[in-house]
Amino acid sequence: MNASTEPANGQVVIGLNAVIVAIIEEQPKVLVVQHTSETLTAQHETLTERTALPHNNRHEALPFGPFYPLKHRTLESGLRSWVEEQTDHEIGYVEQLYTFGNEGRDPREEAAGARLVSVGYLALVQDTAPTAIENAVWQDWYRFFPWEDWRDGPPTILESDIIPALRKWIEQAENNIEQKDRYERTCITFGLDDTPWNDELVLERYELLYEASLVAERQDSLDKGDISNQHGTAMALDHRRILATAIGRLRGKIKYRPVVFELMPPTFTLLQLQKVVEALSGSLLHKQNFRRLIEKKGLVEATGKIETQTGGRPANQFRFRREVLMERQTLGI
Amino acid sequence: MNASTEPANGQVVIGLNAVIVAIIEEQPKVLVVQHTSETLTAQHETLTERTALPHNNRHEALPFGPFYPLKHRTLESGLRSWVEEQTDHEIGYVEQLYTFGNEGRDPREEAAGARLVSVGYLALVQDTAPTAIENAVWQDWYRFFPWEDWRDGPPTILESDIIPALRKWIEQAENNIEQKDRYERTCITFGLDDTPWNDELVLERYELLYEASLVAERQDSLDKGDISNQHGTAMALDHRRILATAIGRLRGKIKYRPVVFELMPPTFTLLQLQKVVEALSGSLLHKQNFRRLIEKKGLVEATGKIETQTGGRPANQFRFRREVLMERQTLGI
DNA sequence: ACCACTTATACTAATATTGAGCATAATGTG
DNA sequence: CACATTATGCTCAATATTAGTATAAGTGGT
């Protein structure tokens, strides 16, 4: 065993996982790496292959970049450098999400006696040109979480499928206390029985489904092949959990910080802005109130130019007033 | 060089830094390790010593625990186990703050060709018995950030000292653009010229002072010995930055999640609860509105018992309804 | 030119929330 | 018993939010 390539016992290797988000045609997209065969290109780092590829070698994964202690001054600069290098996109906004150090996250690393610690990042980009990342494509994020999109009313999969399965899971609890606990958590996360739906609980919902063995990532989930796409497309390792963290965080953040603008082109109409917010939050907004809110916050100013391709009356084009960025502005929705 | 003890080139070592918060006599306290001499006790891990001790060996530091990949299943369980072991306190709440991978954070690690990555955690404890951590004591957190405590009105140090120094720094900008930038950021963070004070910008304020060479941690800060205690007590390495992150995060969090209760005893009066919130946010609240808010949220229920040591009319004792914990409850203040 | 259709934008009424304060209740103390 | 002290109930105005109606300004078709 060579110490410089193969980690010694009890050591740690750091990887950077990026949830790279963009809006394409008013849909929320996330950059995912797809692997359709065992064939691996040799260009990637050993680490990249190890993490991006799940055991069964079939799932989509979040793009992954290694952290080189000797090359990168900080973790964030490491992330920025490899993302910008590989995607040619300028990153408007980067936020550290969470650092996962879970045992068993990557069995191959474990076997070598090392632990893979992955730092998850959320990156927002405006430009969506094709990337240089191997096999990377933009995917609608609701493909992985179909129950999170309420823009066309309550998702059918909820009533027809998930809620019944969860009720069954509640019934199957070992004892009364456990049953009550399951019921209450389901109420809160999935808005059962009059409890209102909370768009920020993306991670909590995913984890409840995981606990109830209703997602394919769970090893003991029933009829795996079937469930894999039924309850959203599965991802490699715990990448769907990281994505859920990102979506929940972003949904929370747009309510009190002006991060939406990082996803917008330089100028935009108020309806375009609204559609983006709706795409992220997965719900519809009242148009007149939305524009009143936006205008009151003073985050935006008219450019004087007019957008005529609206399909109706032409709209004013606005620009984000980047000057006020630092202030803890509320963009409540 | 032995690969199993001495990290090889380009490798990474992970440390867990904990901001452990408790309320003692209505003051916000944080557990800090004090080192008054060069003498090191042999009981600590090499890593602990390396990180807890600054170069000049004089500053206070946040307690530090190593992450053992072979022993700890997750990062959080690693943190919980060493904190609970060393403090004998039960941790009510743990939140990951941020993962710092800054170059030059620990020169000794760097010299050995390794990078220290530290994961910062915020931990809230109720019980405040003496701890088993070497030299650890509870310190009022406003000792490190005297400008953050507005409970007795605007802190004198601000008007008398910090604001003038910042104005001077703004004046000294190289050009007009830089000057305007400095002025705007100072307005936003320190509430200059009518801009309202924002209690959450703890980190941003500290970093502005750092940039203006007004804190002792900055190597080129003017007359170091003097400034060290004038603008708050300095800490080792970037620990004051981690503490600022923790305070800002906690101040933000109590506004929309019921985390205060993790710092409360099992039963408490509404005034006690208010005092704790005030201690954390560093500002005073309107009493009647506070209780109206708390009661409306339904996070709390009367126990029926009565507290008679109030100094006036006896008060009802309340208990936190832990059942509603998961719900994204708003405890707006 | 006129129509149907689409989107933009102004304005309004009803309701809820918030901020500030008054009034009263219940205790201990000199 | 006056008085200081804290608890708690209640009001009132200012402000914000929700859910509309009404009107403006374009498009394309006939």
Side-chain angles (χ1 to χ4, degrees):
Chain A
M1 236 194 230
N2 179 350
S4 62
T5 58
E6 210 63 46
N9 226 11
Q11 282 186 344
V12 164
V13 177
I14 291 209
L16 306 170
N17 275 107
V19 178
I20 305 172
V21 174
I23 298 286
I24 304 178
E25 289 163 8
E26 299 180 347
Q27 299 306 320
K29 303 279 181 174
V30 61
L31 201 58
V32 301
V33 182
Q34 284 182 316
H35 293 273
T36 47
S37 76
E38 276 277 358
T39 323
L40 299 175
T41 57
Q43 79 170 86
H44 283 120
E45 206 56 29
T46 320
L47 261 174
T48 316
E49 295 165 5
R50 282 200 186 134
T51 311
L53 290 177
H55 334 117
N56 64 17
N57 220 5
R58 278 263 161 218
H59 293 151
E60 295 164 276
L62 292 175
F64 175 94
F67 172 64
Y68 298 123
L70 296 180
K71 189 174 153 196
H72 299 136
R73 214 177 45 76
T74 67
L75 293 171
E76 184 175 316
S77 69
L79 180 97
R80 276 187 187 275
S81 83
W82 80 254
V83 170
E84 292 187 345
E85 179 187 309
Q86 298 217 335
T87 64
D88 265 334
H89 300 341
E90 205 169 308
I91 310 179
Y93 179 84
V94 165
E95 176 182 337
Q96 201 185 87
L97 282 175
Y98 208 79
T99 301
F100 300 91
N102 292 14
E103 192 174 61
R105 192 176 183 279
D106 187 340
R108 283 185 251 187
E109 289 291 347
E110 297 293 324
R115 179 68 69 86
L116 174 69
V117 170
S118 20
V119 187
Y121 277 88
L122 168 64
L124 306 182
V125 303
Q126 294 177 15
D127 167 16
T128 55
T131 75
I133 295 180
E134 190 79 17
N135 294 319
V137 292
W138 293 104
Q139 288 283 359
D140 192 310
W141 77 25
Y142 293 119
R143 205 161 75 81
F144 305 101
F145 304 99
W147 55 88
E148 295 290 345
D149 188 1
W150 286 60
R151 285 174 297 174
D152 303 315
T156 47
I157 193 177
L158 262 185
E159 281 306 321
S160 71
D161 196 330
I162 292 176
I163 297 285
L166 283 173
R167 285 200 192 274
K168 196 169 146 200
W169 170 70
I170 293 168
E171 286 303 315
Q172 285 165 349
E174 303 242 326
N175 56 54
N176 260 4
I177 300 168
E178 174 64 17
Q179 185 167 349
K180 202 183 161 206
D181 180 64
R182 287 183 180 186
Y183 176 72
E184 285 199 344
R185 284 191 296 146
T186 310
C187 279
I188 289 164
T189 51
F190 281 89
L192 226 60
D193 301 338
D194 299 324
T195 320
W197 179 268
N198 183 329
D199 66 5
E200 290 180 37
L201 303 181
V202 186
L203 178 63
E204 288 81 352
R205 277 187 283 271
Y206 174 73
E207 298 209 313
L208 199 79
L209 293 179
Y210 188 94
E211 203 182 321
S213 295
L214 293 172
V215 290
E217 282 92 342
R218 179 78 182 239
Q219 299 232 341
D220 59 343
S221 66
L222 329 160
D223 53 293
K224 201 158 177 166
D226 199 35
I227 258 182
S228 168
N229 278 312
Q230 205 175 3
H231 294 163
T233 307
M235 293 183 88
L237 304 170
D238 57 357
H239 288 194
R240 195 144 60 134
R241 216 178 73 193
I242 301 179
L243 180 54
T245 308
I247 297 174
R249 189 85 138 248
L250 190 50
R251 284 182 170 183
K253 204 116 191 177
I254 53 173
K255 288 176 192 159
Y256 62 98
R257 299 254 14 207
V259 287
V260 221
F261 301 105
E262 308 294 347
L263 295 165
M264 303 299 298
T267 74
F268 46 84
T269 70
L270 291 185
L271 186 59
Q272 281 165 354
L273 182 63
Q274 181 180 348
K275 294 279 188 197
V276 171
V277 173
E278 289 175 340
L280 299 177
S281 72
S283 61
L284 296 181
L285 302 170
H286 184 279
K287 187 169 173 174
Q288 295 93 319
N289 292 344
F290 178 78
R291 51 172 37 249
R292 177 180 56 191
L293 183 79
I294 296 296
E295 286 176 337
K296 190 181 56 179
K297 298 297 173 196
L299 290 169
V300 119
E301 68 189 356
T303 61
K305 278 185 288 185
I306 295 245
E307 168 68 57
T308 54
Q309 306 301 306
T310 58
R313 171 176 170 176
N316 274 312
Q317 286 186 331
F318 290 82
R319 153 178 57 226
F320 175 45
R321 296 180 56 223
R322 203 161 277 275
E323 313 88 82
V324 296
L325 196 99
M326 200 180 187
E327 205 162 356
R328 186 123 334 177
Q329 287 276 0
T330 306
L331 179 55
I333 336 188
Chain B
M1 234 194 233
N2 178 351
S4 63
T5 59
E6 209 65 43
N9 227 11
Q11 281 188 341
V12 164
V13 177
I14 291 208
L16 306 170
N17 275 107
V19 178
I20 305 172
V21 174
I23 299 286
I24 305 179
E25 289 163 10
E26 299 181 346
Q27 300 306 320
K29 303 279 181 174
V30 60
L31 202 58
V32 301
V33 182
Q34 285 182 316
H35 293 274
T36 48
S37 76
E38 275 278 359
T39 324
L40 301 174
T41 55
Q43 80 171 83
H44 283 122
E45 206 57 28
T46 320
L47 260 174
T48 315
E49 295 163 6
R50 281 195 187 138
T51 310
L53 291 177
H55 334 116
N56 65 18
N57 221 4
R58 279 263 160 218
H59 293 151
E60 294 162 276
L62 292 175
F64 177 94
F67 172 64
Y68 298 123
L70 296 181
K71 189 175 152 194
H72 299 137
R73 213 177 45 77
T74 67
L75 293 171
E76 184 175 316
S77 69
L79 181 96
R80 277 187 186 273
S81 81
W82 79 256
V83 170
E84 292 186 345
E85 179 185 308
Q86 298 218 336
T87 64
D88 265 335
H89 299 341
E90 203 169 310
I91 310 180
Y93 179 84
V94 165
E95 176 182 339
Q96 200 186 86
L97 282 175
Y98 208 79
T99 301
F100 301 92
N102 293 14
E103 193 173 60
R105 192 176 183 280
D106 187 341
R108 284 185 252 188
E109 289 291 348
E110 297 293 324
R115 179 68 69 85
L116 174 69
V117 170
S118 21
V119 186
Y121 276 88
L122 167 64
L124 306 182
V125 302
Q126 294 177 17
D127 165 16
T128 55
T131 74
I133 296 179
E134 191 79 17
N135 294 319
V137 291
W138 292 104
Q139 289 282 359
D140 191 310
W141 77 25
Y142 293 119
R143 205 161 76 81
F144 305 100
F145 303 99
W147 57 86
E148 295 290 346
D149 188 1
W150 286 60
R151 284 174 296 174
D152 303 316
T156 47
I157 194 177
L158 261 185
E159 281 304 322
S160 71
D161 197 330
I162 292 176
I163 298 283
L166 284 173
R167 286 200 192 272
K168 197 171 146 197
W169 171 71
I170 294 168
E171 287 303 314
Q172 285 164 351
E174 304 243 327
N175 56 55
N176 260 5
I177 300 167
E178 174 63 15
Q179 185 166 347
K180 201 185 161 208
D181 180 63
R182 287 185 180 184
Y183 175 73
E184 284 199 345
R185 284 190 297 145
T186 311
C187 278
I188 290 164
T189 51
F190 282 90
L192 227 58
D193 300 338
D194 298 325
T195 320
W197 179 267
N198 184 329
D199 67 7
E200 291 181 39
L201 303 180
V202 187
L203 178 63
E204 288 81 351
R205 277 187 283 271
Y206 175 73
E207 298 210 312
L208 201 78
L209 293 179
Y210 187 94
E211 202 181 320
S213 295
L214 294 171
V215 290
E217 283 92 342
R218 180 78 183 240
Q219 299 232 339
D220 59 344
S221 66
L222 330 160
D223 55 292
K224 201 157 174 166
D226 198 35
I227 258 179
S228 168
N229 277 311
Q230 206 176 3
H231 294 163
T233 306
M235 294 183 89
L237 303 170
D238 57 357
H239 288 194
R240 196 145 58 133
R241 215 177 74 193
I242 301 179
L243 180 54
T245 309
I247 297 174
R249 189 85 137 249
L250 190 50
R251 283 182 171 182
K253 204 117 192 177
I254 54 172
K255 288 176 192 157
Y256 62 97
R257 300 256 10 209
V259 286
V260 221
F261 302 104
E262 307 296 346
L263 295 165
M264 303 299 298
T267 75
F268 47 84
T269 69
L270 291 184
L271 185 59
Q272 282 165 353
L273 182 64
Q274 182 181 346
K275 294 280 187 195
V276 171
V277 172
E278 289 175 339
L280 299 177
S281 72
S283 61
L284 296 181
L285 302 170
H286 184 280
K287 187 169 172 174
Q288 294 92 321
N289 292 346
F290 179 78
R291 49 171 40 249
R292 176 178 57 188
L293 184 78
I294 296 295
E295 285 177 337
K296 190 181 57 181
K297 298 298 173 196
L299 292 169
V300 119
E301 69 189 356
T303 60
K305 277 185 287 184
I306 295 250
E307 167 67 57
T308 54
Q309 306 301 304
T310 57
R313 171 173 170 177
N316 273 313
Q317 287 188 330
F318 290 82
R319 153 179 56 227
F320 175 46
R321 296 181 55 221
R322 204 161 277 276
E323 313 89 83
V324 296
L325 196 100
M326 201 180 186
E327 204 162 358
R328 187 123 333 179
Q329 286 278 357
T330 306
L331 178 56
I333 334 190

